[in-house]
């Protein structure tokens, strides 16, 4: 029989030991229950119970035959859920009880043997870690897709120039690929950080029981290895009360969102009339209900806006944990919605940004070309020209500063100045000054390792191509 959601009036007192005579107040039942969200852990809960039952059998705590019957029953619950026939109501309290109760319905008294030598405290810790481990792998795949989308744009724009800014003031022109590669570097750090966190998620608390271990002769290493954990917690109190991994994950996810949000801000600026560096395609932009001329960058705006949810979960988790004495406390139930929402937000934003760069925007090379030609972002190169002729940098810097001032007053760019004007400023200037301050040359000259010079950028592209295997 598929479990139907029960009404509040039918709450049995029998979930608990015979110490309890009465059922919960219905409002408290709702308040206490996590089944509304922790049903997301169903697969992991069944996986953990299957491993536990098998271990109880091989340690002789129950017979091998009982173990396989328990495993059969758990797999029946899994199939019922797949068929949409497992819908526990509030009376189940949480996913762990829901599965156990259904098992007892299916197998009778034998089902009651499953919980031997464990507690929901080590069980929930195991489930959450198994779930998060899988999600970290999904986020890694989403990061790779996003990086490939950036890399493909970078490949297309290996010789396109874009103004480079400091303080949001035009500073020096850079190669557009170089700009995009900076975001790929951030995403690569995100992947490393998540891989590092994964190592600390992948430690098994199962068998710590409620807090102190168990007199039942269990084999913790067997369950841990069946579930693919790399290690087991060495201390049972730490095992059931550690949520550092959740905080670490949320901190790493927060940085993913920081990076996505910064890029979003750039895209939003680039799409404005004032910058005009990109056009948004119809695939990712929306219109205004009122102003027919508008095309809005909703995708990057939403990513920028959603980042706050993840930072909020980070602070929420830290605050939830900070006052808790050892060992398990019900406060920990609050870790789940934070993790679920943090993971979903991170995955959704990565996918949206990947699509944005795959098909949602087009750079406008002519606008970009015009932008880099029409400013004083080649002023440093005039100073560098003099330095190459033996003038001390600070002296050259002062000279060029004065030149910029007078050119601005006359409404001229440096490229428009006549040669005699240059010579007047310093006798070392020759006709090759014009080539030296052309934007493409300004970029090409920055050959220092990691600089924006085209050969350096080609090397970065090559490195990323092989790292991302594309
Ligand atoms: N639903 C609980 C949680 O999410 C499961 C563990 C409950 N343990 C307990 N001793 N009440 O943390």
């Amino acid at each position: 029989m598929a479990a139907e959601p029960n009404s509040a009036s039918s709450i049995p007192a029998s979930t608990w030991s015979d110490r309890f005579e009465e059922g919960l107040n219905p409002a408290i039942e709702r308040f206490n229950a996590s089944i509304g969200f922790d049903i997301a852990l169903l697969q992991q809960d069944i996986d953990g119970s299957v491993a536990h039952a098998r271990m109880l059998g091989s340690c002789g705590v129950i017979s091998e035959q009982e173990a396989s019957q328990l495993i059969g029953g758990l797999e029946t619950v899994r199939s019922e859920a797949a068929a949409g026939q497992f819908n526990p109501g509030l009376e189940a309290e949480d996913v762990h009880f829901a599965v156990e109760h259904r098992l007892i319905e299916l197998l009778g008294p034998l089902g009651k043997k499953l919980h031997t030598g464990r507690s929901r405290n080590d069980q929930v810790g195991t489930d959450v870690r198994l779930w998060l481990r899988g999600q970290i792998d999904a986020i890694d795949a989403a990061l790779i897709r996003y990086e490939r989308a950036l890399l493909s744009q970078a490949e297309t724009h290996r010789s396109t120039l874009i103004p480079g800014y400091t303080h949001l003031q035009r500073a020096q022109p850079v190669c557009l690929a170089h700009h995009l590669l900076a975001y790929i570097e951030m995403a690569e750090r995100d992947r490393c950080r998540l891989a590092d966190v994964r190592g600390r998620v992948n430690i098994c608390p199962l068998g710590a029981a409620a807090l102190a271990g168990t007199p039942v002769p269990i084999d913790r290493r067997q369950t841990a290895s069946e579930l693919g954990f790399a290690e087991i917690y060495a201390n049972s109190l730490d095992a059931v009360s550690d949520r550092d991994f959740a905080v670490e994950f949320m901190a790493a996810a927060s940085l993913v969102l920081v990076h996505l949000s910064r890029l979003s801000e750039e895209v939003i600026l680039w799409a404005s009339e004032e910058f005009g560096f990109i056009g948004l395609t119809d695939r990712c932009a929306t219109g205004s209900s009122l102003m027919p001329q508008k095309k809005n960058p909703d995708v990057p705006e939403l990513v920028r806006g959603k980042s706050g949810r993840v930072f909020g979960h980070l602070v929420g988790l830290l605050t939830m944990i900070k006052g808790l004495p050892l060992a398990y406390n019900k406060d920990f139930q609050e870790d789940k919605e934070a993790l679920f929402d943090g993971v979903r937000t991170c995955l959704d934003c990565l996918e949206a940004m990947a699509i944005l760069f795959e098909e949602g925007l087009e750079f406008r090379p002519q606008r970009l070309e015009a932008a880099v030609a029409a400013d004083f972002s080649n002023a440093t190169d005039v100073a560098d020209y003099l330095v190459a002729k033996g003038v001390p940098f600070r002296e050259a810097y002062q000279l060029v500063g004065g030149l910029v001032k007078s050119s601005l007053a006359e409404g001229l760019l440096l490229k428009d100045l006549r040669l005699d004007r240059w010579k007047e400023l310093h006798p070392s200037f020759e006709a090759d000054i014009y080539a030296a301050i052309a934007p493409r040359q300004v970029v090409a000259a920055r050959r220092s390792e990691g600089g924006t010079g085209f050969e350096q950028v080609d090397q970065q592209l090559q490195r990323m191509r092989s790292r991302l295997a594309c």
Side-chain angles (χ1 to χ4, degrees):
M1 181 201 79
E4 290 296 326
N6 291 5
S7 69
S9 58
S10 65
I11 308 160
S14 58
T15 289
W16 310 113
S17 72
D18 291 343
R19 176 176 172 181
F20 285 78
E21 287 170 10
E22 262 195 283
L24 278 173
N25 173 304
I28 297 302
E29 182 187 44
R30 271 196 305 281
F31 186 66
N32 195 44
S34 53
I35 188 70
F37 48 86
D38 69 12
I39 191 73
L41 300 175
L42 181 69
Q43 297 302 327
Q44 291 74 20
D45 196 70
I46 293 175
D47 292 344
S49 289
V50 165
H52 182 67
R54 200 183 329 273
M55 179 277 292
L56 291 177
S58 53
C59 291
V61 177
I62 59 175
S63 73
E64 297 276 4
Q65 200 206 346
E66 287 175 320
S68 45
Q69 280 176 276
L70 285 175
I71 293 169
L74 288 162
E75 292 304 342
T76 303
V77 180
R78 205 196 295 273
S79 328
E80 287 176 350
Q85 286 160 358
F86 180 65
N87 304 297
L90 275 186
E91 80 292 344
E93 187 180 323
D94 61 21
V95 65
H96 324 294
F97 271 152
V99 172
E100 191 183 345
H101 289 170
R102 182 67 188 132
L103 194 68
I104 294 168
E105 274 174 11
L106 287 166
L107 303 181
L110 170 61
K112 297 185 179 178
K113 291 196 174 182
L114 176 67
H115 213 51
T116 313
R118 76 171 185 190
S119 139
R120 279 186 304 158
N121 299 348
D122 54 341
Q123 189 180 354
V124 69
T126 305
D127 293 3
V128 173
R129 285 168 179 80
L130 286 174
W131 179 84
L132 188 57
R133 188 179 73 185
Q135 297 301 314
I136 289 175
D137 295 342
I139 292 174
D140 189 62
L143 276 162
I144 293 175
R145 175 182 175 185
Y146 156 72
E147 287 179 68
R148 285 182 178 158
L150 291 180
L151 186 61
S152 156
Q153 288 282 0
E155 298 273 6
T156 307
H157 294 288
R158 58 206 308 159
S159 63
T160 306
L161 307 185
I162 186 171
Y165 297 83
T166 63
H167 314 270
L168 201 56
Q169 304 288 320
R170 294 273 180 95
Q172 290 167 354
V174 294
C175 174
L176 175 51
H178 192 57
H179 194 110
L180 297 172
L181 279 158
Y183 284 98
I184 303 180
E185 290 290 336
M186 297 177 217
E188 280 294 291
R189 282 200 296 280
D190 288 329
R191 290 183 63 206
C192 289
R193 235 181 317 269
L194 283 163
D196 189 50
V197 172
R198 192 189 191 283
R200 280 181 295 281
V201 171
N202 203 23
I203 301 174
C204 190
L206 195 60
L211 76 166
T214 171
V216 179
I218 57 169
D219 181 351
R220 290 188 58 200
R221 294 188 187 269
Q222 182 184 328
T223 39
S225 99
E226 176 166 341
L227 294 169
F229 284 107
E231 246 316 323
I232 62 171
Y233 273 85
N235 179 302
S236 64
L237 291 168
D238 184 39
V240 289
S241 63
D242 172 31
R243 291 295 182 277
D244 293 359
F245 71 92
V247 170
E248 281 192 66
F249 166 77
M250 208 59 78
S254 292
L255 278 170
V256 172
L257 268 296
V258 164
H259 300 148
L260 294 182
S261 183
R262 292 183 70 178
L263 180 54
S264 293
E265 174 66 14
E266 299 221 56
V267 170
I268 293 162
L269 288 172
W270 291 342
S272 68
E273 194 72 35
E274 286 71 10
F275 279 74
F277 292 171
I278 58 170
L280 295 168
T281 71
D282 294 353
R283 300 281 284 169
C284 286
T286 56
S288 154
S289 60
L290 178 74
M291 298 164 280
Q293 84 284 10
K294 291 204 67 185
K295 213 167 186 189
N296 293 329
D298 290 30
V299 170
E301 288 175 300
L302 276 172
V303 170
R304 190 178 56 184
K306 281 177 188 289
S307 60
R309 301 167 75 116
V310 181
F311 313 156
H313 293 317
L314 174 60
V315 175
L317 285 170
L318 288 165
T319 312
M320 183 268 284
I321 298 166
K322 81 178 178 68
L324 300 184
L326 293 179
Y328 178 85
N329 299 270
K330 189 70 172 237
D331 313 47
F332 285 140
Q333 183 161 290
E334 290 293 309
D335 64 359
K336 278 161 221 63
E337 285 166 293
L339 283 170
F340 296 164
D341 186 71
V343 164
R344 192 182 325 111
T345 303
C346 190
L347 283 169
D348 287 352
C349 290
L350 281 168
E351 182 183 43
M353 286 299 274
I355 294 171
L356 183 66
F357 276 84
E358 282 160 6
E359 52 175 297
L361 55 79
E362 280 157 2
F363 284 96
R364 294 178 168 156
Q366 281 165 351
R367 283 289 302 240
L368 289 161
E369 203 75 26
V372 292
D375 60 25
F376 286 88
S377 61
N378 50 3
T380 317
D381 296 79
V382 178
D384 289 339
Y385 178 97
L386 288 178
V387 167
K389 308 255 170 172
V391 180
F393 176 78
R394 194 52 69 201
E395 188 186 328
Y397 168 89
Q398 296 291 0
L399 280 173
V400 180
L403 184 66
V404 169
K405 187 178 175 192
S406 58
S407 304
L408 274 170
E410 292 166 47
L412 292 173
L413 292 167
L414 297 178
K415 69 179 166 64
D416 302 324
L417 301 178
R418 294 158 50 110
L419 189 57
D420 48 3
R421 179 75 184 280
W422 287 107
K423 287 205 178 285
E424 202 176 291
L425 187 71
H426 199 282
S428 315
F429 281 113
E430 307 285 347
D432 60 356
I433 180 62
Y434 297 102
I437 61 170
R440 199 156 293 279
Q441 174 54 28
V442 166
V443 171
R446 289 179 163 66
R447 290 187 189 86
S448 58
E449 214 177 326
T452 194
F454 299 108
E455 290 137 45
Q456 287 296 322
V457 169
D458 273 346
Q459 282 180 26
Q460 287 186 67
L461 286 170
Q462 219 174 318
R463 193 171 124 258
M464 280 308 171
R465 226 180 292 132
S466 63
R467 206 188 284 187
L468 297 169
C470 51

